[in-house]
Amino acid sequence: MKLTVWTYEGPPHVGAMRIATAMKDLHYVLHAPQGDTYADLLFTMIERRDHRPPVTYTTFQARDLGSDTAELFKDAAQDAYARFKPAAMIVGASCTAELIQDDPGGLAAALGLPCPVLPLELPSYMKKENWGAAHTFYQLVRGLNNAHAPAPGEDKVERKPGPPRCNILGATALGFRHRDDVKEITALLNRMGIEVSVAAPLGATVADVARLHEADFNVVLYPEIADEAARWLERTFKQPRTTVIPIGVGATRDFIAEVADIAGVDPAKALNDRDLRLPWWSKSVDSNYLTGKRVFVFGDATHAVAAARVAVEEMGFKLVGLGAYNREFAREVRAAAEKYGVEPLITDDYLEVEAAIEAANPELVLGSQMERHIAKRLGIGCSVISAPVHVEDFPARYAPQMGAEGANVLFDTWVHPLVMGLEEHLLGMFREDFEFSDEAGPSHLGGHRPAPQPRPQAAPQPAHAEAEPALAGAEPSQPAAAGDPVWSDDAMAELKKIPFFVRGKARRNTENYAAQNGAQTITVDTLYDAKAHFGR
Amino acid sequence: MTAALAPSETEAGCTETEVLRERGQREVFCGLTGIVWLHRKIQDAFFLIVGSRTCAHLMQSAAGVMIFAEPRFATAIIEERDLAGMADANEELDRVAAQVLARRPDIKTLFLVGSCPSEVIKLDLSRAAARLNQQHENVRVLNYSGSGIETTFTEGEDTCLEALVPELPAAPETETSLLVVGALADVVEDQFVRLFDQLGIGPVRFLPARRSEELPAIGAGTRYLLAQPFLGRTGAALDGRGAKRISAPFPLGAKGSEAWLKAAADVWGVDEALFETVIAAPRARAQRAMERYKDTLSGKRIFFFPDSQLEIPLARVLHEELGMQLTEVGTPYLHRGHLDCELPRLPSTVRLSEGQHVDRQLDRCRDIRPDLTVCGLGLANPLEAEGLSTKWAIELVFTPLQGFEQAGDLAELFARPLMRRDILRVG
């Protein structure tokens, strides 16, 4: 058993729902108890979908157990076909139904429904949402294309004449900015003279998925979802697949080069994009204040690795942490972490991520909605770069993460939570202004940044301890252990003159410096010695 | 029977009306969702769900937004090794419970909450609770089921409170006291305390109490008033402890609140004139506050999908005090005993349905095309897209609606979607 406060991913059948809901005429019959229908609201509320997800739940109750749950499943599957007339069905079990072992696949096959029925085996107690989505998509792609596979030894099916043709794979329902990414990348590919044959699963019909094999190659936008399917297509139909994720300026250029190479087209036109503004916005002199901003990145592996590159190479930030919650793609994260000289954090334990962010003391967090909550509690600015998503991650406006416009969006949204350049200087100079102080938060955000909130004490504390503020390391929150340097009153007062957003770092640097130099008491001089030693 | 309780004004009511009983896909939450409000209500309790990743995901999604402070609930997620027998599930549960209690030494009551998977694998949480009670001295460990195979949404509060009943201390034989049962918003509770005090009714206690050490005493002299309509099992457990239910409508709307208080006042033999003096002003305020929305709501047709079991009392208010026309009123479970003062007040033309077959119910709703549809979050936007105005049922559970001072808020919740529809000019 694992103690869990919040989860990064839902169960694997929610991943399967993301595929079914993304598509137009696929129906999912899910053997599940009452209550599992909660998952519908993810789509109708968070994503504001105007249709119910195409899912039928068998809704068994305690009194059905051991008597007729299998019958219940068969009735539900038959009714679902009769009512919705889908072009294909997927059938499977949620976590509870997995335990009662009714074999939905076998039961559905016995019904002989007049449409393809694909059974899903999604082990709920081992796997999670992304895996469930990837596996479902793979099963669909294989199930609907396998009949066209060339016999062993035979060459690829003959291609129809015309311009180079690709599929865009991986966008799902409830994905982080998938809607806009697909639009942006479709336009980019079209500018390169490449036709997009099918984008799937988002917006695709069953018939569309069944003709994926007709394209020349596959563009994999979200490896978490499409990697397994794209590899199968590559093996079976000799369709090359892209490996670069076009998030940020550099990665988009690399992506264009990769696609041009696969498709045999000229990349020049796509590389020269007048709408790409990030480079100048970042080089312009007003952006100087972004230099060396400490940023912590956490999310799904694909978005986290991409964000790390943009943060370091295109924004001039300093990366102080990098991690991902999906262990399946840990290798990519480890490689990136090594490149940027940070420790990789591979975990889906929310409390561990919270502790790591607190320890790294960043000025900006780039993460999922989970990290947004952590950052809010710690009083740090945050921009969301990855699922898990919330309703605000489905903006009305066009806001891709990929391609040229995606890069522009990254610049805007990452800079927004930060204190602006001259404001930062003024805050440092005049610490005692009662209206314009660092603790009020960036003034362009209306000073509404939430105050950091204390966490419940982990051990019983005397009553007075609770009254102490828990600002990011501003005040001593516990008595110093024997041997630790002690802050003099003067030095503590001086520390408080350092703006809130860098004070924690200054405190830690000073304490480390004092410890290294064997100082028992931290004086004002120690504080400035440490500043000279470490730099800003 | 007093004037306020008399059913005369509503003909025969629908006491005898046939109820449409449906079975099929249910678009409702399981009982685990009750933790979302119970963990805020009982301030020193922690709810440990013994379940799957689905349970944890539900809690996160049902809460709508995650709570910034650390929540007083968590899930012990059952993993493959627990099922394959590679780990002893009981030992694992003990370890996780100890982890929770070490993190939160302020916790006085730990609820082990059963889920669909824990019940299907027959993990005995009552034995686990007994074992943990011995291991942890200063904590009371209890268990109840919030599973979807046993409970529907608000029934999770019912099973939680039922688990608390055996823990209630015994009241002296001779003491006559009032127990108000069902979680209420703190502000509502305080209003009722003041009213009971002015009426000279007391001592008044509440279940659940805000803190574990304030568990209400109970005995043969305890009379209880239900504040919520979904407490069938808790009621039975209280009856088992010798307490007696005061039959009353639920304290929703001006009339419901009056009748609820009057039922207690009659038991306590409160003087009619005093009763009138005490409630005249708040009742007038409630009527005035509801009046504002009457034009918007009067004559409009409303359809309830089943959700919280609050449907029947709410339908009564909307019909009786706001002039709405009831089409179908669905409820997950219809407890005739506890609704004895509600059903007679509904018009005999209403269609009552119990349980759900969501596709068939959607067909009926589309046929009727009501002016307002009360439904869960999974159905609201799809129905809005079909041109039907909707009210999220969950808001009716998460908003203080009971009592005189909230009667206007109740009306406003139903009026808001209609007023919004009239304001918008977006095509």
Side-chain angles (χ1 to χ4, degrees), chain A residues 44 49-53, chain B residues 377-387:
Chain A
T44 59
R49 284 197 168 255
D50 60 1
H51 282 81
R52 293 168 60 209
Chain B
L377 299 173
L379 299 177
N381 264 338
L383 287 175
E384 290 279 352
E386 294 179 28

Side-chain angles (χ1 to χ4, degrees), chain B residues 10 177 232 283 371-372 381 411:
Chain B
T10 53
S177 63
R283 182 183 55 203
D371 298 298
L372 187 62
N381 264 338

Side-chain angles (χ1 to χ4, degrees), chain A residues 1-2 4 7 11 34 37-38 40 44-45 50 52 57 59 62 64 83 95-96 125 128 373 390 458, chain B residues 23 25-28 52 54 57 60 64 68 75 77 82 92 95 116 148-149 151-152 359 363 377 381 392:
Chain A
M1 276 181 208
K2 184 159 170 45
T4 306
T7 66
Q34 166 175 261
T37 49
Y38 82 87
D40 284 358
T44 59
M45 297 305 292
D50 60 1
R52 293 168 60 209
Y57 304 77
T59 315
D64 303 316
R83 180 174 280 270
C95 53
T96 306
Y125 299 91
K128 288 177 281 194
H373 284 269
H390 195 39
Chain B
R23 266 197 82 178
Q25 177 173 328
R26 288 186 164 202
E27 198 73 21
V28 287
S52 63
T54 314
H57 196 236
Q60 187 159 325
F68 296 135
T75 309
I77 295 186
D82 303 302
E92 283 290 291
R95 181 181 60 76
C116 299
I149 57 176
T151 59
T152 304
D359 289 313
D363 289 344
L377 299 173
N381 264 338
W392 306 349

Side-chain angles (χ1 to χ4, degrees), chain A residues 127-275:
Chain A
K127 301 291 189 181
K128 288 177 281 194
E129 178 179 335
N130 276 336
W131 186 90
H135 193 67
T136 302
F137 188 50
Y138 159 71
Q139 292 288 354
L140 264 179
V141 169
R142 202 175 99 157
L144 296 172
N145 287 275
N146 210 13
H148 303 281
E154 239 177 79
D155 261 359
K156 181 175 158 37
V157 262
E158 205 175 324
R159 89 179 287 278
K160 289 185 205 148
R165 216 174 284 130
C166 73
N167 304 309
I168 297 182
L169 302 183
T172 64
L174 215 61
F176 182 69
R177 306 291 168 85
H178 289 191
R179 172 196 75 191
D180 296 346
D181 285 347
V182 169
K183 183 175 168 185
E184 180 73 13
I185 296 306
T186 301
L188 173 63
L189 291 163
N190 289 345
R191 274 204 306 282
M192 297 175 74
I194 297 164
E195 193 176 280
V196 174
S197 172
V198 174
L202 190 63
T205 62
V206 168
D208 288 337
V209 173
R211 60 185 179 87
L212 285 177
H213 64 274
E214 293 173 4
D216 300 316
F217 67 102
N218 289 309
V219 168
V220 177
L221 285 194
Y222 309 101
E224 273 85 353
I225 312 291
D227 195 56
E228 196 180 355
R231 283 173 192 271
W232 181 80
L233 288 166
E234 185 177 45
R235 278 199 307 276
T236 312
F237 296 102
K238 308 283 186 294
Q239 286 176 325
R241 65 191 159 88
T242 59
T243 57
V244 180
I245 310 304
I247 297 179
V249 176
T252 298
R253 286 178 179 149
D254 293 349
F255 172 80
I256 292 168
E258 186 182 36
V259 167
D261 189 44
I262 292 174
V265 298
D266 180 9
K269 207 171 146 203
L271 283 171
N272 181 22
D273 190 332
R274 287 158 178 272
D275 291 329

Side-chain angles (χ1 to χ4, degrees), chain A residues 290-296 317-320 359-365 380 418 501-502 505 508-509 536:
Chain A
L290 300 176
T291 313
K293 288 273 186 201
R294 298 164 56 83
V295 55
F296 193 104
F317 293 154
K318 178 171 173 48
L319 194 68
V320 295
N361 203 18
E363 290 159 85
L364 177 68
V365 174
I380 306 170
L418 296 168
F501 36 85
V502 286
K505 184 176 70 166
R508 190 178 334 237
N509 282 349
R536 181 184 176 268

Side-chain angles (χ1 to χ4, degrees), chain B residues 290-300 322 415 418-419:
Chain B
M290 293 177 90
E291 189 63 35
R292 184 174 307 141
Y293 304 102
K294 212 165 181 175
D295 276 353
T296 309
L297 294 173
S298 182
K300 298 290 194 317
L322 292 156
L418 300 174
M419 297 191 299

